[in-house]
Structures are given as structure tokens and as C-alpha cells.
């Protein structure tokens, strides 16, 4: 049993230009940590992880940020493949409660635990 939620890398620091967004993502980060501590009602062996992408490459993001550098955006197929791998190969995923930072630069994506 796995649960994955989406936080955001920018919310690891202050977000004065988008405080509501930062607050909501910080709550997701806390929820991930809390759900991973046990005795939460989740099934035994459950794994909760939170991905922290910078920008996901979606049609709406392209529409509203048309002048952005798309080579720094994480594609949805990459996310889907990552989730599939974590599901099919549990040893490949990060530990329960992880905040997984996802960075894409020059169309190359890396993952690391914060």
C-alpha cells in the first residue's frame, strides 16, 4: 500500500510572492511526515512519500508560462515511470516519509531526498 502526495521544492524556503501556495504545500510536507510515523490507521507496511517537483510540464503551465525554459520542467511521463518503478520495485523507492526533490535541468531529471 502506497500513498504519494505532491509538495513543491520552492516551498522548502520562503515564498513571499505566493504565501498561500507555500502554506498549503508546507502542510502537505507535514502530512507526509506525520503519516509515515506509524499508528496512523494506514495498513501495515504502507509507504508515504511526497514528490517535490519545481515545475511539471503540463498544458496549463505551458499556456500560462509560454516564455519559460521548458528544459527545466519535469515531464508527466517521467513522473509516471518513476511511480511505476517504485510500485513494481519497492527497493527502488526512497524511505517511508521521504520528501523527494525532483530537479530537471537541460531535460535531465534527478531525484534526491531532502
Amino acid at each position: 500500500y502506497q500513498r504519494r502526495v505532491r509538495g513543491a521544492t520552492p516551498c522548502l524556503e520562503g515564498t513571499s510572492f505566493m504565501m498561500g501556495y507555500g502554506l498549503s504545500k508546507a502542510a502537505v510536507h507535514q502530512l507526509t511526515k506525520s503519516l509515515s510515523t506509524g499508528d496512523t490507521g494506514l495498513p501495515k507496511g504502507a509507504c508515504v512519500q511526497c514528490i517535490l517537483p519545481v515545475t511539471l510540464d503540463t498544458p496549463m503551465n505551458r499556456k500560462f508560462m509560454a516564455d519559460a525554459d521548458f528544459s527545466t520542467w519535469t515531464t508527466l511521463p517521467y513522473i509516471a515511470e518513476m511511480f511505476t518503478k517504485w510500485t513494481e520495485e519497492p527497493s527502488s523507492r526512497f524511505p517511508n516519509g521521504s520528501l523527494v526533490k525532483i530537479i530537471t535541468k537541460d531535460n535531465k531529471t534527478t531525484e534526491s531526498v531532502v
Side-chain angles (χ1 to χ4, degrees):
Y1 185 82
Q2 300 175 58
R3 285 284 182 229
R4 294 186 190 91
V5 292
R6 192 166 69 100
T9 296
C11 298
L12 293 173
E13 310 217 355
T15 55
S16 62
F17 55 96
M18 53 183 183
M19 283 190 254
Y21 179 81
L23 284 168
S24 67
K25 294 302 182 175
V28 171
H29 300 177
Q30 175 59 30
L31 177 65
T32 300
K33 294 294 188 181
S34 295
L35 287 173
S36 70
T37 61
D39 197 26
T40 61
L42 292 177
K44 184 179 179 183
C47 183
V48 181
Q49 298 168 322
C50 179
I51 62 168
L52 309 177
V54 176
T55 305
L56 292 174
D57 191 352
T58 66
M60 287 300 255
N61 281 343
R62 283 185 179 253
K63 177 180 177 180
F64 290 106
M65 295 184 272
D67 295 330
D69 177 3
F70 300 143
S71 73
T72 64
W73 291 13
T74 305
T75 66
L76 297 182
Y78 180 90
I79 298 295
E81 289 170 16
M82 181 181 67
F83 285 169
T84 299
K85 182 179 178 184
W86 288 355
T87 301
E88 294 175 349
E89 301 172 36
S91 63
S92 70
R93 67 181 174 229
F94 295 97
N96 191 23
S98 294
L99 301 179
V100 182
K101 192 173 185 178
I102 300 173
I103 301 293
T104 301
K105 184 176 180 181
D106 298 326
N107 295 309
K108 181 173 171 76
T109 303
T110 59
E111 308 152 21
S112 62
V113 174
V114 177

